[in-house]
Amino acid sequence: MAAAVCVRSPLPPKLPQLLERDPYLAPFETDFQRRYSLFYNHLKNIEENEGGLDKFSKSYKTFGVNQLADGGIYCKEWAPGAEAVFLAGDFNDWNPFSHPYKKMEYGKWELLIPPGQDGCPLVPHGSRLKVVIRAQNGDLLYRISPWARYVIRDEDKVNYDWVHWNPPQSYVHKHPSPRRLKSLRIYESHVGIASPEGKVASYKNFTYNVLPRIKDLGYNCVQLMAIMEHAYYASFGYQVTSFFAASSRYGTPDDLKEMIDVAHSMGITVLLDVVHSHASKNSEDGLNKFDGTDSCFFHSGPKGTHQLWDSRLFDYANWEVLRFLLSNLRMWIEDYRFDGFRFDGVTSMLYHHHGIGTGFSGDYNEYFGLHVDEDALCYLMLANHMIKFLHPECITIAEDVSGMPALCRPVEEGGGGFDYRLAMAIPDKWIQIIKELKDEDWNMGNIVHTLTNRRYEEKYIAYAESHDQALVGDKTLAFRLMDAEMYTNMSVLSPLTAVIDRGIQLHKMIRLITHALGGESYLNFMGNEFGHPEWLDFPRIGNNESYHYARRQFNLTEDHLLRYRFLNAFDRDMNKLEERFGWLASPPAYVSEKHEANKVIAFERAGLLFVFNFHPYQSYVDYRVAIFKYKILLDSDDGEYGGHQRLDHSTEYFSEEYPHNYRPNSLLVYIPSRVAVVLQNVDVPKGSSL
């Protein structure tokens, strides 16, 4: 069913506030109006034709195969290109024609299987099923329902099988979701690699071995990758085949529900890395050619294929695609109790060119015009509107490299409705600096600019590195800094070489300045907090299907003879300090110093003074900083963090009435080379703006 476009639509009610905040957007006012009009008309049509967004997004309870209260089984599919549809499986000895669906309007098909004489369902829990499609050319196609909740792959098979999941007693959540966080400290995670062992780890392992570690490190949010079922493990979860199924390679749906419940009991928010930007091109166990045509769920022809990812692209203007995707989000929230989403590949969604071969300079003309896929943008607006309307405590994050204005502003302003966006320029900047520049050539102004260059009143998630840098073909910060010496010189029994010393000190400084200056939230990929050695590489033909690099060696931090524990301890105390003072939820920092010759950066945030001396060898005995009386709260040079213990934490320092960097008082401090210090101001005079 196509959504009719109304002639008149209301304007974004709060658009004037957006344009007042950023006058440079004024020439594009009609673009915002058109986008909002498309959103409004979709919403209005859903209200008129589907009984509202609430009912529309609950379609996962009627589509697919669902058990009724009386034990009957109700089946429903959307297959507009099919000539006939049947259900086959263990329950009917795989007879492809005994259970035909009835054709409905708009390409839908339904089937009701009454309960048995004993009142029990004829399709029992754990039985295998297939939707049988008679294509337009007469071929019979055996397909997995797009709405399947559980799929498995036997070791001797290539493709996944659909298993009806309807246990007599499903997992019951015991703990409420945490309250919406003000400061978001995210631990980006992958369940399958979350073990030192060379195997696919389980939900149970993550629940009982990894969640306590995350809690101890001071992270209050876990972002789970590769949960939506994907046939190819090495795709890192980005080639989804079954959108409503939790990956069975880690365990059962109930195992995942328990994992999320235990996280909630620890006060940890759980986000799902949701992939609605594309889908696997698999047809035997994926969405592709579900009804025998290339246009079911996706654009037909070249427009429906991503050139670089070799995957299928959704048709976001299609009514049933909207139903499918919105219901998918609703299911993950309400069945599994996820607390929000990180939307992957948003840049690919926003533009018809998908960001391929396109650089973004920040010119506003790059974000408006015919090259913008406003159908995809409208879907994202609908998704965020639905989530905020039904579950206002949920969080949404956009992975967008383009920097589209207003993506993280409310829909009523004409924005995309996201809460946060990833600050994707920051890790690229650190890579460029470490790779191309000598330490003495680091540009303090350029570092500060990259960390603070974000849109006013749009929240950013800062990170020094993510899973992207950990993958084979790239390098983590630790590996770039220390490289081959990580294999030989990370033991405290070996001499502290210049390379290892430099790597450990800069690793801490880079992460702290990114954490404190780079945004309104912070993200770390699992293992990178302690400088996990080597790279991440999933089993594949090119590495002889080895799991050696598809694991996280958490045990390295527990060996007191290894220097990894220093980085781990610093990361923990950095997070604990943020938890105490809440700088991520505070207004942006006031940068008081970025001295090129001295390689010193100083800034104030949340009542704290952060001082960084990036100079490779120059320490400063009497360095003037703008501050009142202070005490040291965090010192990267502390011996507990693998530092050289050059600062005396018992000393109290008092300022003098000597104006410096627009502050009335200042004092002289000792700042060793390659050291970051966090100072708490005490006895601040009344009326000071510090």
Side-chain angles (χ1 to χ4, degrees):
M1 181 168 66
V5 178
C6 299
V7 176
R8 293 184 180 180
S9 301
L11 302 178
K14 295 185 178 180
L15 180 58
Q17 287 94 313
L18 176 67
L19 301 182
E20 182 180 358
R21 190 180 303 110
D22 186 352
Y24 289 101
L25 290 174
F28 308 101
E29 182 175 2
T30 56
D31 292 84
F32 285 109
Q33 292 173 352
R34 185 178 60 254
R35 294 172 180 181
Y36 186 82
S37 175
L38 187 61
F39 157 79
Y40 176 84
N41 287 325
H42 272 306
L43 203 58
K44 187 171 184 291
N45 284 326
I46 289 172
E47 291 286 340
E48 293 175 351
N49 297 292
E50 296 283 350
L53 192 58
D54 183 15
K55 183 179 178 181
F56 187 62
S57 60
K58 281 183 179 176
S59 295
Y60 68 92
K61 295 186 176 182
T62 54
F63 278 73
V65 174
N66 291 278
Q67 183 173 319
L68 303 176
D70 65 355
I73 299 291
Y74 180 70
C75 312
K76 193 174 184 180
E77 299 293 345
W78 177 62
E83 289 295 318
V85 179
F86 309 89
L87 186 69
D90 296 335
F91 78 101
N92 65 359
D93 294 325
W94 292 97
N95 186 325
F97 305 116
S98 65
H99 288 76
Y101 284 66
K102 176 185 174 183
K103 190 172 185 178
M104 304 166 66
E105 290 184 304
Y106 309 117
K108 301 187 186 76
W109 303 78
E110 68 175 354
L111 166 65
L112 177 62
I113 305 176
Q117 292 182 351
D118 57 358
C120 294
L122 293 182
V123 181
H125 167 67
S127 58
R128 303 197 180 206
L129 298 170
K130 282 288 178 72
V131 175
V132 182
I133 303 286
R134 179 183 288 149
Q136 294 173 356
N137 63 2
D139 289 347
L140 287 183
L141 309 174
Y142 286 76
R143 298 290 193 241
I144 293 175
S145 170
W147 305 80
R149 306 293 283 276
Y150 189 55
V151 295
I152 63 173
R153 180 167 60 188
D154 296 330
E155 290 186 6
D156 59 342
K157 290 187 177 181
V158 174
N159 296 322
Y160 274 76
D161 284 327
W162 172 22
V163 175
H164 181 52
W165 185 262
N166 186 36
Q169 290 184 332
S170 187
Y171 184 84
V172 178
H173 293 268
K174 305 175 183 65
H175 305 281
S177 298
R179 297 180 64 180
R180 189 179 176 96
L181 299 168
K182 293 182 179 179
S183 292
L184 205 60
R185 301 182 298 276
I186 304 170
Y187 199 75
E188 186 183 33
S189 304
H190 186 293
V191 171
I193 65 170
S195 167
E197 299 180 63
K199 65 178 185 180
V200 178
S202 66
Y203 294 124
K204 292 284 188 182
N205 167 74
F206 200 94
T207 301
Y208 297 107
N209 295 324
V210 183
L211 284 177
R213 173 184 177 81
I214 295 171
K215 178 69 175 178
D216 178 67
L217 282 169
Y219 291 94
N220 57 13
C221 177
V222 58
Q223 177 184 303
L224 294 174
M225 309 173 63
I227 295 296
M228 303 167 75
E229 190 60 272
H230 48 292
Y232 185 41
Y233 188 43
S235 73
F236 222 130
Y238 293 125
Q239 295 274 342
V240 176
T241 45
S242 290
F243 283 73
F244 287 82
S247 182
S248 61
R249 54 172 56 89
Y250 319 128
T252 68
D254 280 0
D255 291 342
L256 174 58
K257 291 177 181 179
E258 180 194 25
M259 187 180 93
I260 294 171
D261 197 29
V262 171
H264 287 167
S265 75
M266 297 178 176
I268 297 175
T269 293
V270 185
L271 305 180
L272 174 68
D273 196 349
V274 69
V275 185
H276 282 182
S277 49
H278 64 131
S280 168
K281 68 176 184 179
N282 288 21
S283 56
E284 294 292 328
D285 53 8
L287 284 183
N288 190 26
K289 298 183 179 179
F290 172 68
D291 66 352
T293 72
D294 74 339
S295 59
C296 187
F297 292 101
F298 309 109
H299 289 291
S300 181
K303 187 178 180 181
T305 301
H306 196 289
Q307 296 176 14
L308 294 183
W309 298 342
D310 193 25
S311 54
R312 297 306 313 275
L313 296 172
F314 287 106
D315 179 2
Y316 301 103
N318 187 289
W319 188 272
E320 295 302 323
V321 170
L322 293 179
R323 182 197 306 277
F324 180 79
L325 296 177
L326 292 174
S327 298
N328 188 233
L329 298 174
R330 183 90 181 262
M331 186 276 296
W332 289 114
I333 294 174
E334 297 190 352
D335 273 23
Y336 287 89
R337 302 289 180 88
F338 277 98
D339 303 302
F341 305 97
R342 178 259 201 190
F343 282 75
D344 176 71
V346 169
T347 305
S348 176
M349 298 174 70
L350 290 176
Y351 306 97
H352 291 297
H353 53 62
H354 308 297
I356 300 174
T358 303
F360 294 94
S361 65
D363 185 331
Y364 277 11
N365 289 290
E366 297 169 349
Y367 309 117
F368 303 93
L370 295 177
H371 52 284
V372 175
D373 188 341
E374 294 191 346
D375 289 321
L377 179 55
C378 178
Y379 160 66
L380 293 172
M381 294 168 73
L382 282 167
N384 281 305
H385 172 79
M386 179 198 75
I387 292 168
K388 299 296 186 295
F389 176 69
L390 298 173
H391 297 279
E393 73 283 359
C394 282
I395 297 165
T396 59
I397 300 167
E399 187 214 24
D400 170 42
V401 72
S402 75
M404 175 173 277
L407 192 62
C408 294
R409 293 304 303 168
V411 171
E412 53 265 32
E413 290 184 11
F418 285 97
D419 295 303
Y420 296 89
R421 68 198 311 160
L422 292 174
M424 301 183 73
I426 295 176
D428 291 341
K429 174 54 64 176
W430 288 124
I431 290 171
Q432 183 244 326
I433 289 172
I434 295 171
K435 188 177 179 180
E436 299 178 6
L437 301 177
K438 298 178 181 178
D439 290 7
E440 52 268 34
D441 294 333
W442 286 24
N443 187 299
M444 300 296 102
N446 188 247
I447 291 173
V448 169
H449 173 75
T450 301
L451 289 170
T452 59
N453 182 29
R454 48 190 187 268
R455 293 191 56 78
Y456 179 60
E457 292 195 355
E458 293 196 41
K459 294 181 180 179
Y460 284 69
I461 296 176
Y463 59 106
E465 54 186 342
S466 69
H467 69 273
D468 290 324
Q469 288 72 43
L471 286 171
V472 62
D474 207 335
K475 287 185 177 182
T476 63
L477 288 179
F479 217 50
R480 286 184 183 278
L481 290 166
M482 296 177 277
D483 210 12
E485 288 204 21
M486 294 187 76
Y487 295 110
T488 56
N489 296 320
M490 286 300 279
S491 169
V492 296
L493 301 179
S494 63
L496 180 63
T497 66
V499 170
I500 296 297
D501 185 29
R502 171 181 179 267
I504 287 176
Q505 310 318 323
L506 288 178
H507 192 273
K508 293 178 291 185
M509 295 179 71
I510 288 171
R511 300 176 87 76
L512 177 59
I513 196 171
T514 301
H515 201 309
L517 189 59
E520 290 71 35
S521 176
Y522 177 75
L523 178 143
N524 165 69
F525 178 64
M526 62 190 314
N528 286 354
E529 70 274 7
F530 64 84
H532 196 287
E534 301 176 321
W535 51 89
L536 181 60
D537 191 13
F538 288 88
R540 54 190 175 86
I541 295 176
N543 64 11
N544 294 319
E545 304 293 339
S546 171
Y547 284 87
H548 180 73
Y549 297 109
R551 58 193 179 120
R552 296 280 91 178
Q553 300 178 63
F554 297 125
N555 55 301
L556 296 176
T557 66
E558 298 161 8
D559 189 335
H560 287 273
L561 294 179
L562 295 178
R563 294 186 166 101
Y564 295 104
R565 65 183 175 91
F566 299 141
L567 299 178
N568 194 72
F570 182 79
D571 197 78
R572 178 195 62 224
D573 290 352
M574 175 178 68
N575 282 322
K576 298 289 187 181
L577 191 63
E578 197 289 326
E579 183 178 16
R580 180 179 167 192
F581 287 91
W583 62 67
L584 291 171
S586 299
Y590 169 73
V591 180
S592 58
E593 182 150 349
K594 40 187 177 181
H595 200 293
E596 297 301 341
N598 294 339
K599 302 302 177 193
V600 171
I601 295 172
F603 58 88
E604 301 158 19
R605 195 175 186 186
L608 303 175
L609 178 68
F610 298 79
V611 183
F612 295 80
N613 179 7
F614 281 99
H615 205 290
Y617 54 84
Q618 184 66 57
S619 298
Y620 303 104
V621 177
D622 293 315
Y623 202 89
R624 187 169 294 279
V625 293
I627 196 173
F628 298 97
K629 180 182 175 182
Y630 87 86
K631 64 178 180 180
I632 296 174
L633 293 183
L634 186 65
D635 169 19
S636 70
D637 204 38
D638 195 302
E640 183 182 359
Y641 311 136
H644 300 285
Q645 307 180 77
R646 289 169 286 182
L647 291 172
D648 183 358
H649 292 202
S650 65
T651 303
E652 283 192 336
Y653 297 87
F654 298 86
S655 67
E656 58 181 321
E657 292 186 6
Y658 189 100
H660 183 71
N661 287 335
Y662 304 100
R663 291 290 188 251
N665 288 47
S666 62
L667 50 74
L668 300 174
V669 296
Y670 174 40
I671 309 177
S673 62
R674 286 198 185 122
V675 166
V677 185
V678 183
L679 312 170
Q680 181 187 17
N681 297 277
V682 293
D683 299 335
V684 179
K686 189 175 182 180
S688 172
S689 60
L690 190 65

